[in-house]
Amino acid sequence: SRPTLSQWRDTWMKEIAFNQLKPRTYNGYQSYIENHIKPELGKVRLDKLGPAHVRRLHQRFNDLGLSSTTALQAHNILAKALTSAMQEGKVSRAVTSLVDRPKKAVSRRPALTASQARTLLLSVANDERQAIQWAIALFAGLRQSERLGLTREMIDLERRTIAVAWALHRLKWAHGCSPLCGKKRAGDCPDRHMPIPDGMEAIPAYGGLWMLRPKSRAGWREVPIAPALYELLTAYFAKYEPGDSGIAFPRADGHPVDPRDDSKAWANALSASDLPHVPLHSARHTTATLLFELGIDERTRVSILGHSSATMTASYTHVTDSIAH
């Protein structure tokens, strides 16, 4: 009746958070809890938690040299766990509401300029599979998971739109054995299973790759196909058939492209083009900047990128002096 934070964490994650979060988000929560919240506050009873404990958690990240954004994420996870505890009658208040949240660190993700994006696309022009992947990333601003999860039916060349309705993710297997099989990796368990909450739309793709719905309702959207991208798509589909489950841009063997392989290919393409090594996600920043410099209105830019607010889109936009054609 008077659980410690560690004991409540086990109950909350299994009985409440599991049914509320997407699998990758759930795994991220587990990592924060196991690596930070539990070691710092796990032994404290819920009803004894006070503002000083929350501040101690914040200080942990400073002591470890981690960013305030990381501390903010841990604070938010703890706040959700305590809010659920309050709703369940375990505590009378969520003490996280009594402490100022850590500030999100100000950072500007490096991104390719229009000129650099052009250099990249020209350098991979002879590799049709790479060319189409990076063209979609830069012209349509799709997230990696959304791009890799595109099926042929989502791409309407007649209307010149891309419907973003699924996203391809690599998920973590869970042990399904009892008694324990002795395998360290859940993926090696003979009775392994994918822990996906009831009611969550998920389709197995290949191995540990699964198709899930986009991360938010704003992620469900239609993206216009730019003229240059339209030409590439038309040529590509005239030559290549869809892969397994209708995947539009599969590997040569028809299976979906693994996100890890896709990220490596991006890094290799940048190296081969003598371009700075920027994260693959920064391609969306390049898209946001190009849309802004082309004079596309704010509401349309927010819709194209699938953001929940104009503030988020603004943070993706890096204004330059001129646009390269």
Side-chain angles (χ1 to χ4, degrees):
S1 61
R2 294 181 177 179
T4 63
L5 179 58
S6 181
Q7 292 168 328
W8 173 247
R9 169 266 177 202
D10 294 338
T11 300
W12 178 63
M13 289 293 286
K14 291 177 182 177
E15 298 180 8
I16 301 174
F18 179 76
N19 293 311
Q20 295 177 345
L21 305 173
K22 287 184 178 291
R24 284 173 61 86
T25 304
Y26 181 85
N27 292 334
Y29 275 36
Q30 280 189 315
S31 177
Y32 269 90
I33 292 171
E34 292 298 324
N35 294 325
H36 300 294
I37 298 175
K38 206 170 178 179
E40 195 66 46
L41 304 176
K43 295 181 180 179
V44 181
R45 266 183 21 197
L46 279 184
D47 60 344
K48 297 296 183 181
L49 273 174
H53 292 104
V54 180
R55 289 193 292 269
R56 197 171 87 195
L57 177 64
H58 295 174
Q59 185 60 38
R60 173 185 178 86
F61 294 92
N62 186 53
D63 294 342
L64 293 174
L66 299 175
S67 74
S68 59
T69 300
T70 308
L72 174 61
Q73 178 68 352
H75 178 99
N76 291 340
I77 293 171
L78 178 61
K80 288 185 178 182
L82 294 180
T83 298
S84 292
M86 184 173 64
Q87 293 168 342
E88 295 291 321
K90 302 296 182 182
V91 293
S92 60
R93 64 182 182 181
V95 296
T96 44
S97 64
L98 306 178
V99 181
D100 290 337
R101 299 193 310 163
K103 301 293 185 182
K104 187 172 183 179
V106 177
S107 63
R108 297 294 283 179
R109 185 188 295 268
L112 298 179
T113 64
S115 178
Q116 290 171 330
R118 182 174 182 273
T119 297
L120 174 64
L121 292 176
L122 287 175
S123 71
V124 298
N126 293 327
D127 184 335
E128 293 163 310
R129 293 188 185 276
Q130 269 205 78
I132 198 68
Q133 292 283 17
W134 309 146
I136 292 175
L138 292 164
F139 285 130
L142 270 61
R143 299 175 178 89
Q144 181 189 51
S145 59
E146 296 169 341
R147 173 169 49 82
L148 298 181
L150 284 176
T151 62
R152 180 61 185 88
E153 66 179 10
M154 296 181 197
I155 302 171
D156 190 333
L157 293 180
E158 183 175 343
R159 294 180 58 237
R160 300 199 179 199
T161 59
I162 296 174
V164 181
W166 291 97
L168 184 79
H169 294 280
R170 174 166 290 283
L171 304 181
K172 294 176 65 175
W173 294 100
H175 281 277
C177 49
S178 183
L180 293 178
C181 62
K183 301 291 186 181
K184 185 175 182 180
R185 293 180 64 255
D188 295 329
C189 174
D191 297 315
R192 69 182 185 179
H193 71 98
M194 193 62 71
I196 296 176
D198 293 339
M200 180 172 293
E201 293 184 86
I203 302 173
Y206 175 70
L209 298 176
W210 286 68
M211 297 279 276
L212 304 175
R213 287 301 187 186
K215 58 183 293 188
S216 67
R217 294 299 302 180
W220 296 46
R221 62 197 190 279
E222 277 196 343
V223 179
I225 298 175
L229 179 56
Y230 174 81
E231 293 179 13
L232 288 171
L233 287 170
T234 301
Y236 182 90
F237 290 132
K239 185 174 181 178
Y240 296 102
E241 293 293 324
D244 299 345
S245 303
I247 289 291
F249 311 109
R251 305 185 321 196
D253 61 6
H255 295 316
V257 176
D258 190 297
R260 294 177 296 197
D261 295 335
D262 186 64
S263 296
K264 289 178 183 177
W266 169 263
N268 291 337
L270 293 175
S271 293
S273 306
D274 291 324
L275 292 171
H277 280 256
V278 298
L280 174 52
H281 190 74
S282 71
R284 284 170 53 78
H285 291 239
T286 300
T287 306
T289 302
L290 293 177
L291 292 173
F292 175 83
E293 295 191 342
L294 288 170
I296 305 301
D297 66 271
E298 182 181 85
R299 183 176 180 180
T300 302
R301 284 184 278 127
V302 171
S303 177
I304 288 174
L305 290 166
H307 286 150
S308 57
S309 69
T311 302
M312 177 63 73
T313 302
S315 72
Y316 274 53
T317 306
H318 307 263
V319 180
T320 56
D321 293 333
S322 62
I323 184 168
H325 296 282

